[in-house]
PDB file of all heavy atoms in Angstrom:
ATOM      1  N   GLU A1046      25.561 132.126  -6.990  1.00 95.00           N
ATOM      2  CA  GLU A1046      24.838 132.854  -5.945  1.00 95.00           C
ATOM      3  C   GLU A1046      23.440 132.259  -5.779  1.00 95.00           C
ATOM      4  O   GLU A1046      22.900 131.654  -6.700  1.00 95.00           O
ATOM      5  CB  GLU A1046      24.712 134.323  -6.331  1.00 95.00           C
ATOM      6  CG  GLU A1046      26.012 135.086  -6.310  1.00 95.00           C
ATOM      7  CD  GLU A1046      25.811 136.556  -6.652  1.00 95.00           C
ATOM      8  OE1 GLU A1046      24.686 137.071  -6.496  1.00 95.00           O
ATOM      9  OE2 GLU A1046      26.798 137.177  -7.066  1.00 95.00           O
ATOM     10  N   ASP A1047      22.868 132.480  -4.613  1.00 96.00           N
ATOM     11  CA  ASP A1047      21.507 132.010  -4.323  1.00 96.00           C
ATOM     12  C   ASP A1047      21.368 130.511  -4.577  1.00 96.00           C
ATOM     13  O   ASP A1047      20.384 130.048  -5.156  1.00 96.00           O
ATOM     14  CB  ASP A1047      20.465 132.792  -5.145  1.00 96.00           C
ATOM     15  CG  ASP A1047      20.514 134.279  -4.869  1.00 96.00           C
ATOM     16  OD1 ASP A1047      20.701 134.648  -3.693  1.00 96.00           O
ATOM     17  OD2 ASP A1047      20.375 135.054  -5.827  1.00 96.00           O
ATOM     18  N   SER A1048      22.357 129.754  -4.149  1.00 98.00           N
ATOM     19  CA  SER A1048      22.355 128.302  -4.334  1.00 98.00           C
ATOM     20  C   SER A1048      22.655 127.633  -3.003  1.00 98.00           C
ATOM     21  O   SER A1048      23.375 128.179  -2.170  1.00 98.00           O
ATOM     22  CB  SER A1048      23.409 127.909  -5.377  1.00 98.00           C
ATOM     23  OG  SER A1048      23.111 128.515  -6.615  1.00 98.00           O
ATOM     24  N   ARG A1049      22.075 126.433  -2.823  1.00 98.00           N
ATOM     25  CA  ARG A1049      22.263 125.765  -1.535  1.00 98.00           C
ATOM     26  C   ARG A1049      21.887 124.294  -1.636  1.00 98.00           C
ATOM     27  O   ARG A1049      21.080 123.900  -2.484  1.00 98.00           O
ATOM     28  CB  ARG A1049      21.409 126.424  -0.465  1.00 98.00           C
ATOM     29  CG  ARG A1049      19.917 126.314  -0.735  1.00 98.00           C
ATOM     30  CD  ARG A1049      19.091 127.268   0.134  1.00 98.00           C
ATOM     31  NE  ARG A1049      17.689 127.164  -0.233  1.00 98.00           N
ATOM     32  CZ  ARG A1049      16.756 126.608   0.524  1.00 98.00           C
ATOM     33  NH1 ARG A1049      17.060 126.127   1.705  1.00 98.00           N
ATOM     34  NH2 ARG A1049      15.506 126.547   0.119  1.00 98.00           N
ATOM     35  N   VAL A1050      22.479 123.503  -0.762  1.00 98.00           N
ATOM     36  CA  VAL A1050      22.059 122.121  -0.567  1.00 98.00           C
ATOM     37  C   VAL A1050      20.882 122.180   0.384  1.00 98.00           C
ATOM     38  O   VAL A1050      20.961 122.809   1.438  1.00 98.00           O
ATOM     39  CB  VAL A1050      23.205 121.257   0.001  1.00 98.00           C
ATOM     40  CG1 VAL A1050      22.706 119.866   0.387  1.00 98.00           C
ATOM     41  CG2 VAL A1050      24.359 121.174  -0.995  1.00 98.00           C
ATOM     42  N   THR A1051      19.781 121.538   0.018  1.00 97.00           N
ATOM     43  CA  THR A1051      18.590 121.595   0.864  1.00 97.00           C
ATOM     44  C   THR A1051      18.321 120.312   1.639  1.00 97.00           C
ATOM     45  O   THR A1051      17.608 120.340   2.639  1.00 97.00           O
ATOM     46  CB  THR A1051      17.347 121.951   0.025  1.00 97.00           C
ATOM     47  OG1 THR A1051      17.181 120.975  -1.009  1.00 97.00           O
ATOM     48  CG2 THR A1051      17.481 123.341  -0.584  1.00 97.00           C
ATOM     49  N   ASP A1052      18.891 119.188   1.176  1.00 96.00           N
ATOM     50  CA  ASP A1052      18.619 117.928   1.869  1.00 96.00           C
ATOM     51  C   ASP A1052      19.654 116.886   1.467  1.00 96.00           C
ATOM     52  O   ASP A1052      20.067 116.827   0.302  1.00 96.00           O
ATOM     53  CB  ASP A1052      17.214 117.419   1.511  1.00 96.00           C
ATOM     54  CG  ASP A1052      16.712 116.343   2.445  1.00 96.00           C
ATOM     55  OD1 ASP A1052      17.152 116.301   3.616  1.00 96.00           O
ATOM     56  OD2 ASP A1052      15.877 115.535   2.008  1.00 96.00           O
ATOM     57  N   VAL A1053      20.058 116.086   2.428  1.00 95.00           N
ATOM     58  CA  VAL A1053      20.931 114.939   2.178  1.00 95.00           C
ATOM     59  C   VAL A1053      20.333 113.756   2.917  1.00 95.00           C
ATOM     60  O   VAL A1053      20.151 113.793   4.134  1.00 95.00           O
ATOM     61  CB  VAL A1053      22.379 115.179   2.662  1.00 95.00           C
ATOM     62  CG1 VAL A1053      23.235 113.944   2.426  1.00 95.00           C
ATOM     63  CG2 VAL A1053      22.984 116.405   1.993  1.00 95.00           C
ATOM     64  N   ILE A1054      19.995 112.719   2.181  1.00 94.00           N
ATOM     65  CA  ILE A1054      19.467 111.491   2.773  1.00 94.00           C
ATOM     66  C   ILE A1054      20.491 110.399   2.513  1.00 94.00           C
ATOM     67  O   ILE A1054      20.940 110.214   1.375  1.00 94.00           O
ATOM     68  CB  ILE A1054      18.113 111.101   2.150  1.00 94.00           C
ATOM     69  CG1 ILE A1054      17.094 112.231   2.343  1.00 94.00           C
ATOM     70  CG2 ILE A1054      17.611 109.791   2.756  1.00 94.00           C
ATOM     71  CD1 ILE A1054      15.810 112.013   1.568  1.00 94.00           C
ATOM     72  N   THR A1055      20.870 109.680   3.562  1.00 91.00           N
ATOM     73  CA  THR A1055      21.872 108.625   3.448  1.00 91.00           C
ATOM     74  C   THR A1055      21.224 107.274   3.728  1.00 91.00           C
ATOM     75  O   THR A1055      20.508 107.118   4.721  1.00 91.00           O
ATOM     76  CB  THR A1055      23.025 108.873   4.447  1.00 91.00           C
ATOM     77  OG1 THR A1055      23.580 110.167   4.198  1.00 91.00           O
ATOM     78  CG2 THR A1055      24.102 107.816   4.306  1.00 91.00           C
ATOM     79  N   TYR A1056      21.501 106.331   2.844  1.00 87.00           N
ATOM     80  CA  TYR A1056      21.018 104.958   3.006  1.00 87.00           C
ATOM     81  C   TYR A1056      22.239 104.045   3.102  1.00 87.00           C
ATOM     82  O   TYR A1056      23.040 103.965   2.167  1.00 87.00           O
ATOM     83  CB  TYR A1056      20.158 104.531   1.812  1.00 87.00           C
ATOM     84  CG  TYR A1056      18.912 105.366   1.626  1.00 87.00           C
ATOM     85  CD1 TYR A1056      18.887 106.408   0.706  1.00 87.00           C
ATOM     86  CD2 TYR A1056      17.773 105.104   2.374  1.00 87.00           C
ATOM     87  CE1 TYR A1056      17.751 107.178   0.534  1.00 87.00           C
ATOM     88  CE2 TYR A1056      16.626 105.878   2.210  1.00 87.00           C
ATOM     89  CZ  TYR A1056      16.634 106.904   1.286  1.00 87.00           C
ATOM     90  OH  TYR A1056      15.499 107.677   1.130  1.00 87.00           O
ATOM     91  N   GLU A1057      22.372 103.367   4.229  1.00 82.00           N
ATOM     92  CA  GLU A1057      23.487 102.430   4.426  1.00 82.00           C
ATOM     93  C   GLU A1057      23.196 101.122   3.700  1.00 82.00           C
ATOM     94  O   GLU A1057      22.053 100.659   3.661  1.00 82.00           O
ATOM     95  CB  GLU A1057      23.707 102.170   5.917  1.00 82.00           C
ATOM     96  CG  GLU A1057      24.066 103.406   6.717  1.00 82.00           C
ATOM     97  CD  GLU A1057      25.414 104.020   6.350  1.00 82.00           C
ATOM     98  OE1 GLU A1057      26.310 103.294   5.870  1.00 82.00           O
ATOM     99  OE2 GLU A1057      25.551 105.248   6.523  1.00 82.00           O
ATOM    100  N   ASN A1058      24.208 100.534   3.120  1.00 74.00           N
ATOM    101  CA  ASN A1058      24.120  99.220   2.459  1.00 74.00           C
ATOM    102  C   ASN A1058      23.035  99.161   1.401  1.00 74.00           C
ATOM    103  O   ASN A1058      22.376  98.138   1.230  1.00 74.00           O
ATOM    104  CB  ASN A1058      23.900  98.116   3.499  1.00 74.00           C
ATOM    105  CG  ASN A1058      25.028  98.048   4.483  1.00 74.00           C
ATOM    106  OD1 ASN A1058      26.198  98.065   4.105  1.00 74.00           O
ATOM    107  ND2 ASN A1058      24.699  98.005   5.764  1.00 74.00           N
ATOM    108  N   ALA A1059      22.833 100.220   0.685  1.00 68.00           N
ATOM    109  CA  ALA A1059      21.762 100.254  -0.320  1.00 68.00           C
ATOM    110  C   ALA A1059      22.294 100.198  -1.748  1.00 68.00           C
ATOM    111  O   ALA A1059      21.543  99.947  -2.674  1.00 68.00           O
ATOM    112  CB  ALA A1059      20.927 101.527  -0.145  1.00 68.00           C
ATOM    113  N   GLY A1060      23.575 100.442  -1.925  1.00 64.00           N
ATOM    114  CA  GLY A1060      24.142 100.479  -3.263  1.00 64.00           C
ATOM    115  C   GLY A1060      24.798  99.169  -3.641  1.00 64.00           C
ATOM    116  O   GLY A1060      24.737  98.191  -2.901  1.00 64.00           O
ATOM    117  N   PRO A1061      25.429  99.164  -4.806  1.00 66.00           N
ATOM    118  CA  PRO A1061      26.143  97.966  -5.249  1.00 66.00           C
ATOM    119  C   PRO A1061      27.190  97.555  -4.207  1.00 66.00           C
ATOM    120  O   PRO A1061      27.876  98.407  -3.642  1.00 66.00           O
ATOM    121  CB  PRO A1061      26.819  98.401  -6.555  1.00 66.00           C
ATOM    122  CG  PRO A1061      26.132  99.665  -6.970  1.00 66.00           C
ATOM    123  CD  PRO A1061      25.565 100.269  -5.730  1.00 66.00           C
ATOM    124  N   GLU A1062      27.266  96.285  -3.929  1.00 71.00           N
ATOM    125  CA  GLU A1062      28.237  95.734  -2.983  1.00 71.00           C
ATOM    126  C   GLU A1062      28.117  96.373  -1.599  1.00 71.00           C
ATOM    127  O   GLU A1062      29.112  96.592  -0.910  1.00 71.00           O
ATOM    128  CB  GLU A1062      29.655  95.879  -3.534  1.00 71.00           C
ATOM    129  CG  GLU A1062      29.842  95.137  -4.847  1.00 71.00           C
ATOM    130  CD  GLU A1062      31.227  95.330  -5.446  1.00 71.00           C
ATOM    131  OE1 GLU A1062      32.165  95.719  -4.712  1.00 71.00           O
ATOM    132  OE2 GLU A1062      31.361  95.097  -6.643  1.00 71.00           O
ATOM    133  N   GLY A1063      26.905  96.749  -1.204  1.00 71.00           N
ATOM    134  CA  GLY A1063      26.653  97.287   0.125  1.00 71.00           C
ATOM    135  C   GLY A1063      27.105  98.718   0.344  1.00 71.00           C
ATOM    136  O   GLY A1063      27.227  99.157   1.473  1.00 71.00           O
ATOM    137  N   GLN A1064      27.332  99.459  -0.731  1.00 73.00           N
ATOM    138  CA  GLN A1064      27.784 100.841  -0.603  1.00 73.00           C
ATOM    139  C   GLN A1064      26.705 101.735  -0.005  1.00 73.00           C
ATOM    140  O   GLN A1064      25.517 101.473  -0.136  1.00 73.00           O
ATOM    141  CB  GLN A1064      28.171 101.407  -1.966  1.00 73.00           C
ATOM    142  CG  GLN A1064      29.414 100.787  -2.560  1.00 73.00           C
ATOM    143  CD  GLN A1064      29.668 101.297  -3.964  1.00 73.00           C
ATOM    144  OE1 GLN A1064      28.752 101.584  -4.711  1.00 73.00           O
ATOM    145  NE2 GLN A1064      30.938 101.411  -4.307  1.00 73.00           N
ATOM    146  N   THR A1065      27.165 102.795   0.638  1.00 78.00           N
ATOM    147  CA  THR A1065      26.264 103.829   1.131  1.00 78.00           C
ATOM    148  C   THR A1065      25.775 104.638  -0.057  1.00 78.00           C
ATOM    149  O   THR A1065      26.529 104.944  -0.972  1.00 78.00           O
ATOM    150  CB  THR A1065      27.006 104.744   2.123  1.00 78.00           C
ATOM    151  OG1 THR A1065      27.430 103.950   3.225  1.00 78.00           O
ATOM    152  CG2 THR A1065      26.122 105.874   2.605  1.00 78.00           C
ATOM    153  N   VAL A1066      24.505 104.959  -0.059  1.00 82.00           N
ATOM    154  CA  VAL A1066      23.911 105.755  -1.138  1.00 82.00           C
ATOM    155  C   VAL A1066      23.393 107.049  -0.533  1.00 82.00           C
ATOM    156  O   VAL A1066      22.782 107.049   0.529  1.00 82.00           O
ATOM    157  CB  VAL A1066      22.752 104.989  -1.815  1.00 82.00           C
ATOM    158  CG1 VAL A1066      21.992 105.882  -2.775  1.00 82.00           C
ATOM    159  CG2 VAL A1066      23.271 103.752  -2.522  1.00 82.00           C
ATOM    160  N   LYS A1067      23.657 108.144  -1.221  1.00 90.00           N
ATOM    161  CA  LYS A1067      23.125 109.430  -0.802  1.00 90.00           C
ATOM    162  C   LYS A1067      22.242 109.989  -1.907  1.00 90.00           C
ATOM    163  O   LYS A1067      22.543 109.841  -3.087  1.00 90.00           O
ATOM    164  CB  LYS A1067      24.251 110.425  -0.508  1.00 90.00           C
ATOM    165  CG  LYS A1067      25.027 110.089   0.746  1.00 90.00           C
ATOM    166  CD  LYS A1067      26.040 111.147   1.062  1.00 90.00           C
ATOM    167  CE  LYS A1067      26.792 110.759   2.322  1.00 90.00           C
ATOM    168  NZ  LYS A1067      27.817 111.738   2.659  1.00 90.00           N
ATOM    169  N   ILE A1068      21.166 110.606  -1.468  1.00 95.00           N
ATOM    170  CA  ILE A1068      20.323 111.400  -2.357  1.00 95.00           C
ATOM    171  C   ILE A1068      20.432 112.826  -1.841  1.00 95.00           C
ATOM    172  O   ILE A1068      20.136 113.097  -0.671  1.00 95.00           O
ATOM    173  CB  ILE A1068      18.868 110.913  -2.352  1.00 95.00           C
ATOM    174  CG1 ILE A1068      18.799 109.470  -2.863  1.00 95.00           C
ATOM    175  CG2 ILE A1068      18.000 111.839  -3.196  1.00 95.00           C
ATOM    176  CD1 ILE A1068      17.431 108.840  -2.753  1.00 95.00           C
ATOM    177  N   VAL A1069      20.895 113.716  -2.708  1.00 97.00           N
ATOM    178  CA  VAL A1069      21.164 115.094  -2.319  1.00 97.00           C
ATOM    179  C   VAL A1069      20.275 116.010  -3.151  1.00 97.00           C
ATOM    180  O   VAL A1069      20.288 115.951  -4.381  1.00 97.00           O
ATOM    181  CB  VAL A1069      22.646 115.453  -2.554  1.00 97.00           C
ATOM    182  CG1 VAL A1069      22.930 116.875  -2.087  1.00 97.00           C
ATOM    183  CG2 VAL A1069      23.559 114.451  -1.861  1.00 97.00           C
ATOM    184  N   THR A1070      19.499 116.822  -2.479  1.00 97.00           N
ATOM    185  CA  THR A1070      18.669 117.818  -3.157  1.00 97.00           C
ATOM    186  C   THR A1070      19.355 119.162  -2.997  1.00 97.00           C
ATOM    187  O   THR A1070      19.791 119.514  -1.897  1.00 97.00           O
ATOM    188  CB  THR A1070      17.254 117.849  -2.554  1.00 97.00           C
ATOM    189  OG1 THR A1070      16.700 116.528  -2.593  1.00 97.00           O
ATOM    190  CG2 THR A1070      16.352 118.797  -3.328  1.00 97.00           C
ATOM    191  N   PHE A1071      19.465 119.889  -4.107  1.00 97.00           N
ATOM    192  CA  PHE A1071      20.112 121.193  -4.051  1.00 97.00           C
ATOM    193  C   PHE A1071      19.471 122.144  -5.051  1.00 97.00           C
ATOM    194  O   PHE A1071      18.772 121.714  -5.967  1.00 97.00           O
ATOM    195  CB  PHE A1071      21.628 121.084  -4.274  1.00 97.00           C
ATOM    196  CG  PHE A1071      22.053 120.564  -5.624  1.00 97.00           C
ATOM    197  CD1 PHE A1071      22.508 121.437  -6.613  1.00 97.00           C
ATOM    198  CD2 PHE A1071      22.042 119.204  -5.911  1.00 97.00           C
ATOM    199  CE1 PHE A1071      22.932 120.970  -7.846  1.00 97.00           C
ATOM    200  CE2 PHE A1071      22.468 118.721  -7.141  1.00 97.00           C
ATOM    201  CZ  PHE A1071      22.909 119.611  -8.112  1.00 97.00           C
ATOM    202  N   GLU A1072      19.718 123.424  -4.838  1.00 97.00           N
ATOM    203  CA  GLU A1072      19.194 124.465  -5.723  1.00 97.00           C
ATOM    204  C   GLU A1072      20.352 125.266  -6.293  1.00 97.00           C
ATOM    205  O   GLU A1072      21.285 125.624  -5.557  1.00 97.00           O
ATOM    206  CB  GLU A1072      18.274 125.419  -4.969  1.00 97.00           C
ATOM    207  CG  GLU A1072      17.004 124.782  -4.464  1.00 97.00           C
ATOM    208  CD  GLU A1072      16.155 125.736  -3.642  1.00 97.00           C
ATOM    209  OE1 GLU A1072      16.547 126.920  -3.471  1.00 97.00           O
ATOM    210  OE2 GLU A1072      15.108 125.294  -3.147  1.00 97.00           O
ATOM    211  N   LEU A1073      20.286 125.531  -7.577  1.00 97.00           N
ATOM    212  CA  LEU A1073      21.202 126.447  -8.237  1.00 97.00           C
ATOM    213  C   LEU A1073      20.377 127.614  -8.742  1.00 97.00           C
ATOM    214  O   LEU A1073      19.567 127.445  -9.647  1.00 97.00           O
ATOM    215  CB  LEU A1073      21.930 125.777  -9.410  1.00 97.00           C
ATOM    216  CG  LEU A1073      22.830 124.592  -9.084  1.00 97.00           C
ATOM    217  CD1 LEU A1073      23.458 124.036 -10.349  1.00 97.00           C
ATOM    218  CD2 LEU A1073      23.897 124.990  -8.070  1.00 97.00           C
ATOM    219  N   MET A1074      20.529 128.750  -8.087  1.00 95.00           N
ATOM    220  CA  MET A1074      19.821 129.968  -8.469  1.00 95.00           C
ATOM    221  C   MET A1074      18.312 129.730  -8.600  1.00 95.00           C
ATOM    222  O   MET A1074      17.669 130.153  -9.553  1.00 95.00           O
ATOM    223  CB  MET A1074      20.417 130.541  -9.743  1.00 95.00           C
ATOM    224  CG  MET A1074      21.901 130.872  -9.595  1.00 95.00           C
ATOM    225  SD  MET A1074      22.680 131.483 -11.075  1.00 95.00           S
ATOM    226  CE  MET A1074      22.086 133.172 -11.039  1.00 95.00           C
ATOM    227  N   GLY A1075      17.761 128.996  -7.634  1.00 93.00           N
ATOM    228  CA  GLY A1075      16.325 128.754  -7.585  1.00 93.00           C
ATOM    229  C   GLY A1075      15.845 127.511  -8.306  1.00 93.00           C
ATOM    230  O   GLY A1075      14.708 127.093  -8.114  1.00 93.00           O
ATOM    231  N   GLN A1076      16.677 126.894  -9.139  1.00 94.00           N
ATOM    232  CA  GLN A1076      16.299 125.672  -9.861  1.00 94.00           C
ATOM    233  C   GLN A1076      16.704 124.470  -9.018  1.00 94.00           C
ATOM    234  O   GLN A1076      17.848 124.357  -8.589  1.00 94.00           O
ATOM    235  CB  GLN A1076      17.001 125.621 -11.219  1.00 94.00           C
ATOM    236  CG  GLN A1076      16.759 124.349 -12.009  1.00 94.00           C
ATOM    237  CD  GLN A1076      15.329 124.190 -12.451  1.00 94.00           C
ATOM    238  OE1 GLN A1076      14.725 125.144 -12.928  1.00 94.00           O
ATOM    239  NE2 GLN A1076      14.789 123.007 -12.305  1.00 94.00           N
ATOM    240  N   GLU A1077      15.754 123.570  -8.780  1.00 96.00           N
ATOM    241  CA  GLU A1077      16.013 122.415  -7.927  1.00 96.00           C
ATOM    242  C   GLU A1077      16.556 121.233  -8.726  1.00 96.00           C
ATOM    243  O   GLU A1077      16.096 120.941  -9.831  1.00 96.00           O
ATOM    244  CB  GLU A1077      14.723 122.005  -7.205  1.00 96.00           C
ATOM    245  CG  GLU A1077      14.961 121.001  -6.113  1.00 96.00           C
ATOM    246  CD  GLU A1077      13.715 120.773  -5.269  1.00 96.00           C
ATOM    247  OE1 GLU A1077      12.611 120.634  -5.834  1.00 96.00           O
ATOM    248  OE2 GLU A1077      13.863 120.739  -4.045  1.00 96.00           O
ATOM    249  N   TYR A1078      17.528 120.548  -8.129  1.00 97.00           N
ATOM    250  CA  TYR A1078      18.144 119.353  -8.709  1.00 97.00           C
ATOM    251  C   TYR A1078      18.179 118.268  -7.652  1.00 97.00           C
ATOM    252  O   TYR A1078      18.233 118.556  -6.457  1.00 97.00           O
ATOM    253  CB  TYR A1078      19.588 119.639  -9.152  1.00 97.00           C
ATOM    254  CG  TYR A1078      19.694 120.663 -10.244  1.00 97.00           C
ATOM    255  CD1 TYR A1078      19.690 122.019  -9.953  1.00 97.00           C
ATOM    256  CD2 TYR A1078      19.772 120.269 -11.570  1.00 97.00           C
ATOM    257  CE1 TYR A1078      19.771 122.962 -10.964  1.00 97.00           C
ATOM    258  CE2 TYR A1078      19.859 121.216 -12.593  1.00 97.00           C
ATOM    259  CZ  TYR A1078      19.860 122.554 -12.274  1.00 97.00           C
ATOM    260  OH  TYR A1078      19.939 123.493 -13.268  1.00 97.00           O
ATOM    261  N   ILE A1079      18.198 117.031  -8.114  1.00 97.00           N
ATOM    262  CA  ILE A1079      18.356 115.888  -7.227  1.00 97.00           C
ATOM    263  C   ILE A1079      19.561 115.101  -7.731  1.00 97.00           C
ATOM    264  O   ILE A1079      19.647 114.773  -8.918  1.00 97.00           O
ATOM    265  CB  ILE A1079      17.112 114.980  -7.234  1.00 97.00           C
ATOM    266  CG1 ILE A1079      15.885 115.769  -6.792  1.00 97.00           C
ATOM    267  CG2 ILE A1079      17.332 113.759  -6.338  1.00 97.00           C
ATOM    268  CD1 ILE A1079      14.569 115.036  -7.027  1.00 97.00           C
ATOM    269  N   ALA A1080      20.509 114.830  -6.838  1.00 97.00           N
ATOM    270  CA  ALA A1080      21.703 114.067  -7.182  1.00 97.00           C
ATOM    271  C   ALA A1080      21.664 112.748  -6.428  1.00 97.00           C
ATOM    272  O   ALA A1080      21.324 112.705  -5.248  1.00 97.00           O
ATOM    273  CB  ALA A1080      22.954 114.854  -6.828  1.00 97.00           C
ATOM    274  N   LEU A1081      22.016 111.673  -7.105  1.00 94.00           N
ATOM    275  CA  LEU A1081      21.959 110.321  -6.549  1.00 94.00           C
ATOM    276  C   LEU A1081      23.310 109.648  -6.694  1.00 94.00           C
ATOM    277  O   LEU A1081      23.922 109.706  -7.757  1.00 94.00           O
ATOM    278  CB  LEU A1081      20.911 109.499  -7.302  1.00 94.00           C
ATOM    279  CG  LEU A1081      20.921 107.992  -7.087  1.00 94.00           C
ATOM    280  CD1 LEU A1081      20.393 107.652  -5.700  1.00 94.00           C
ATOM    281  CD2 LEU A1081      20.102 107.298  -8.160  1.00 94.00           C
ATOM    282  N   ASP A1082      23.771 109.001  -5.617  1.00 91.00           N
ATOM    283  CA  ASP A1082      24.922 108.103  -5.709  1.00 91.00           C
ATOM    284  C   ASP A1082      24.413 106.777  -6.250  1.00 91.00           C
ATOM    285  O   ASP A1082      24.077 105.869  -5.496  1.00 91.00           O
ATOM    286  CB  ASP A1082      25.544 107.878  -4.325  1.00 91.00           C
ATOM    287  CG  ASP A1082      26.374 109.038  -3.849  1.00 91.00           C
ATOM    288  OD1 ASP A1082      26.855 109.817  -4.683  1.00 91.00           O
ATOM    289  OD2 ASP A1082      26.560 109.154  -2.619  1.00 91.00           O
TER     290      ASP A1082
END
């Protein structure tokens, strides 16, 4: 509960072998996390 994705940033051709990379910011019960591809 009280959790949400707050931002998704996509970078084309930024990862290994030209992969798309996403940085996703989200909250779990008010605590912020950042997830990276």
Side-chain angles (χ1 to χ4, degrees):
E1046 291 182 22
D1047 301 321
S1048 299
R1049 63 195 177 109
V1050 172
T1051 58
D1052 195 26
V1053 178
I1054 301 171
T1055 303
Y1056 298 98
E1057 299 294 333
N1058 299 313
E1062 299 177 19
Q1064 291 175 327
T1065 298
V1066 171
K1067 290 185 180 179
I1068 298 173
V1069 182
T1070 305
F1071 63 102
E1072 294 176 1
L1073 298 179
M1074 301 177 78
Q1076 176 66 44
E1077 191 171 44
Y1078 297 84
I1079 301 169
L1081 167 73
D1082 283 336

